């Protein structure tokens, strides 16, 4: 079973996303910040296959965080959730195959498809960031 680390600072969104992702059959680790996510990662026994994280406020910090996680979990992928205001910026970025954007609002089936596509994608030879 794949494990997904969900990082969401809005408690309502955290609960809703967590329930949705669990309904797809994944194990979900929850965190309300990158700091808490570091603690959750340290306590978790086993691999983390994917992180889902809001990117609209701090793209660079998210990428740095993802790179640090790749050192511990080399096969980890990232689903970067963005809002409409940062979607244009996201379109200009070149992402490695380990990462993908999903723009809010999104349907639950689009979330499921995005997660599965990332988990099934090939691993890049070298980090892009």
């Amino acid at each position: 079973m794949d494990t997904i680390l969900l990082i969401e600072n809005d408690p309502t969104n955290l609960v809703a996303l967590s329930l949705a992702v669990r309904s797809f059959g994944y194990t979900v680790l929850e965190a309300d910040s990158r700091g808490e996510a570091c603690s959750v990662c340290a306590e978790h026994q086993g691999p983390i296959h994917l992180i889902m994280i809001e990117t609209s406020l701090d793209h660079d910090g998210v990428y740095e965080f993802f790179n640090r996680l790749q050192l511990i979990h080399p096969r980890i992928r990232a689903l970067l959730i963005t809002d409409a205001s940062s979607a244009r910026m996201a379109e200009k970025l070149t992402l490695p195959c380990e990462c993908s954007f999903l723009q809010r609002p999104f349907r639950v089936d689009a979330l499921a498809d995005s997660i599965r596509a990332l988990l099934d994608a090939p691993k890049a030879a070298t980090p892009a960031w």
Side-chain angles (χ1 to χ4, degrees), residues 6-14 31-33 54 57 104:
L6 174 58
I7 306 164
E8 172 60 63
N9 63 357
D10 180 289
T12 303
N13 286 341
L14 181 64
D32 65 8
S33 67
E54 172 67 45
L57 299 178
R104 282 193 173 135

Side-chain angles (χ1 to χ4, degrees), residues 20-119:
V21 173
R22 280 189 173 93
S23 77
F24 307 149
Y26 300 109
T27 299
V28 177
L29 306 174
E30 299 177 4
D32 65 8
S33 67
R34 280 179 279 193
E36 184 180 356
C38 289
S39 297
V40 169
C41 287
E43 294 171 9
H44 178 69
Q45 300 293 318
I48 297 174
H49 301 92
L50 178 87
I51 63 168
M52 292 176 50
I53 186 168
E54 172 67 45
T55 64
S56 61
L57 299 178
D58 181 13
H59 283 77
D60 292 335
V62 168
Y63 300 145
E64 181 181 315
F65 179 72
F66 177 67
N67 282 329
R68 284 189 313 218
L69 283 181
Q70 278 186 313
L71 296 174
I72 301 164
H73 302 280
R75 298 189 50 82
I76 198 166
R77 309 302 174 103
L79 182 57
L80 309 172
I81 300 171
T82 185
D83 60 18
S85 66
S86 61
R88 284 195 178 147
M89 181 184 294
E91 291 171 2
K92 296 177 184 176
L93 297 173
T94 303
L95 297 177
C97 61
E98 292 93 355
C99 299
S100 169
F101 280 103
L102 183 61
Q103 182 181 335
R104 282 193 173 135
F106 51 82
R107 294 175 15 161
V108 174
D109 59 334
L111 175 62
D113 292 345
S114 294
I115 291 170
R116 191 73 262 152
L118 271 168
L119 292 173

